[in-house]
Amino acid sequence: MTESLRPRRSCLAVPGSNPRFLEKAKSLPADQVFLDIEDAVAPLAKPDARKNIVAALNEGGWGNKIRAVRVNDLTTSWTYRDVIEVVEGAGQNLDCIMLPKVQSAAQVEWLDMLLTQIEKTMGFEVGKIGIEAQIENAQGLIAIDAIAKASPRIETLIFGPADFMASINMKTLVVGEQPAGYDVGDAYHHILMSILMAARANNKQAIDGPYLQIRDLDGYRRVAGRSAALGFDGKWVLHPGQVDIANEVYAPSQEDYDHAELILDAYDYYTSEAGGKKGSAMLGDEMIDEASRKMALVISAKGRAAGLTRTSVFTPPEA
Ligand code: GLV
Ligand code: MG
C-alpha cells in the first residue's frame, strides 16, 4: 500500500503543443495532469511544446493536481534538452518528470543525476522532483524491479499498453481489448500483475495506461474496472469525459469504504481490554482478524484519499 503518495486515480494527458488544451486541463477534476512532449507532439512541434509547458506551469492555476511533464525517451536526441529546459524553467512548479519507454535502471539513474544537477544549479530543493517510469516494452518489464529501485525519486510505474503491444508484436490495434484469437484469458494479465507486484514490493503507485476509443465510455469503464479490481491506483485519461469515470472506478464504493471503516473500528475494539483482547471476532456474519484489518486499511486509505466520509459507525455489542 502506498499511503504516503497523493491520489492518482485520473492522470490526464495534455499535449504540450496545444496551449488551448493546456489551459482547459487546469479546470478539469483530474488528480494528475501530465504535459506531454513525447508521442502526442510531432517532432517539429517539440521545441515550442517545451516553451508552452514552462509557461503553463509557471502561470499556475493547477489547484491540487500533481503536475508532471512527459519528456522523450532516452533512445531519442531530445530527452536531455526536454529535461533541462522544463526543469530549469519551471522546476519549482513541477512535481514529476515522466520517463517513457524505460528499459533499464541506468536510464532512471541518468534522469536522477540530471535532476540533481539542475536542482543544485537552480537552488531548488534537491530530490523534490519525482520520477514516473512508463513500462512499455519487454526490456522494461523484465527489468521492472531494478527500475523501481533505481531512484528514491520514483513514484509510479505506468503501463504503456499501446507501445507495449507494438513492441511485443501483439496482433491487435485496439488498446486495452483482447487480441482476436486469444480466447482463454486476459492477454494483459501477466503485464499488469508484474507492474503491480513491482509497485507494491517497492511502495510505488501502479498506474494503468490509456484507452484510445475516447467516445466509448462503457469500454473505458470496463477496462479501468479490471486494473482497479487488481489494485491499480489509477489510469490515464485522454479526454475530459473519462475523468469522472476514473475518479469513481479507482476509489472504493461508499459501501466498501463504510465497511472497511467498520472493520477497523470493530477490530480495534475486540483486540482491546474492553473487547476481550480477541485476535479474531465476529462482525455481523463475518469473521475478522488481523488480515481483515490489513485489507480494510487499503480500502480505507483509498477512500479517505478520494475524500469519502463514512456514513455509519461501529457500536460495541451490549456487555
Ligand atoms: C502510452 O504511452 C502507451 O504507449 O500506451
Ligand atoms: Mg507510449
Side-chain angles (χ1 to χ4, degrees):
M1 188 177 41
T2 42
E3 282 167 288
S4 53
L5 295 171
R6 292 152 68 187
R8 282 183 167 92
R9 297 164 302 171
S10 47
C11 305
L12 177 68
V14 192
S17 49
N18 191 322
R20 195 166 55 83
F21 284 3
L22 286 166
E23 192 53 36
K24 165 91 183 155
K26 295 181 184 175
S27 66
L28 297 173
D31 288 339
Q32 162 165 353
V33 288
F34 76 87
L35 315 181
D36 196 14
I37 324 178
E38 202 222 15
D39 283 356
V41 177
L44 290 178
K46 289 183 195 289
D48 278 347
R50 294 180 187 129
K51 293 188 174 41
N52 297 339
I53 287 172
V54 168
L57 288 170
N58 289 339
E59 263 159 35
W62 297 96
N64 289 332
K65 292 181 191 43
I66 299 172
R67 300 148 302 174
V69 172
R70 179 167 74 164
V71 297
N72 287 279
D73 83 89
L74 276 163
T75 64
T76 71
S77 58
W78 295 302
T79 325
Y80 76 100
R81 233 181 250 287
D82 292 342
V83 178
I84 292 169
E85 195 164 325
V86 167
V87 180
E88 282 195 350
Q92 275 168 316
N93 296 313
L94 170 70
D95 298 298
C96 288
I97 292 290
M98 184 185 295
L99 191 61
K101 302 180 182 70
V102 178
Q103 302 194 27
S104 63
Q107 295 191 335
V108 175
E109 287 159 7
W110 173 87
L111 180 55
D112 181 310
M113 284 188 262
L114 182 54
L115 286 172
T116 301
Q117 291 198 337
I118 301 172
E119 286 165 337
K120 283 183 178 164
T121 304
M122 300 301 293
F124 301 156
E125 185 185 332
V126 172
K128 186 154 171 287
I129 297 175
I131 297 177
E132 307 202 37
Q134 271 193 283
I135 304 299
E136 310 199 73
N137 47 45
Q139 292 95 325
L141 195 69
I142 286 170
I144 191 164
D145 190 55
I147 289 170
K149 290 183 164 64
S151 161
R153 294 182 191 262
I154 292 263
E155 296 189 15
T156 64
L157 301 172
I158 306 168
F159 178 35
D163 275 302
F164 212 117
M165 286 158 56
S167 97
I168 62 172
N169 294 0
M170 195 182 268
K171 276 169 47 188
T172 173
L173 283 174
V174 187
V175 171
E177 299 298 351
Q178 302 301 315
Y182 189 72
D183 59 358
V184 289
D186 177 1
Y188 304 97
H189 186 74
H190 169 73
I191 308 172
L192 288 173
M193 273 307 207
S194 302
I195 292 173
L196 187 62
M197 291 308 116
R200 294 298 170 258
N202 294 289
N203 200 31
K204 311 296 178 191
Q205 287 180 330
I207 306 295
D208 196 1
Y211 184 75
L212 304 185
Q213 318 303 114
I214 56 171
R215 290 186 209 294
D216 181 0
L217 296 181
D218 290 340
Y220 182 85
R221 184 180 286 277
R222 183 164 35 79
V223 173
R226 292 185 195 140
S227 64
L230 292 178
F232 271 61
D233 298 284
K235 182 171 175 64
W236 281 16
V237 295
L238 301 185
H239 188 264
Q242 296 176 333
V243 176
D244 287 344
I245 303 178
N247 286 346
E248 180 193 324
V249 170
Y250 290 92
S253 66
Q254 182 71 45
E255 193 185 345
D256 286 350
Y257 173 67
D258 281 341
H259 188 56
E261 294 289 9
L262 274 188
I263 291 175
L264 293 178
D265 283 356
Y267 196 64
D268 207 33
Y269 169 74
Y270 286 116
T271 50
S272 73
E273 196 78 49
K277 296 186 275 186
K278 296 182 185 136
S280 66
M282 294 302 287
L283 176 64
D285 291 339
E286 174 189 20
M287 178 173 276
I288 57 171
D289 66 5
E290 178 56 27
S292 322
R293 190 185 70 87
K294 289 202 177 80
M295 290 192 293
L297 273 177
V298 173
I299 307 286
S300 150
K302 285 196 178 193
R304 287 179 202 183
L308 295 183
T309 46
R310 59 189 302 175
T311 56
S312 57
V313 288
F314 170 71
T315 21
E318 300 288 323

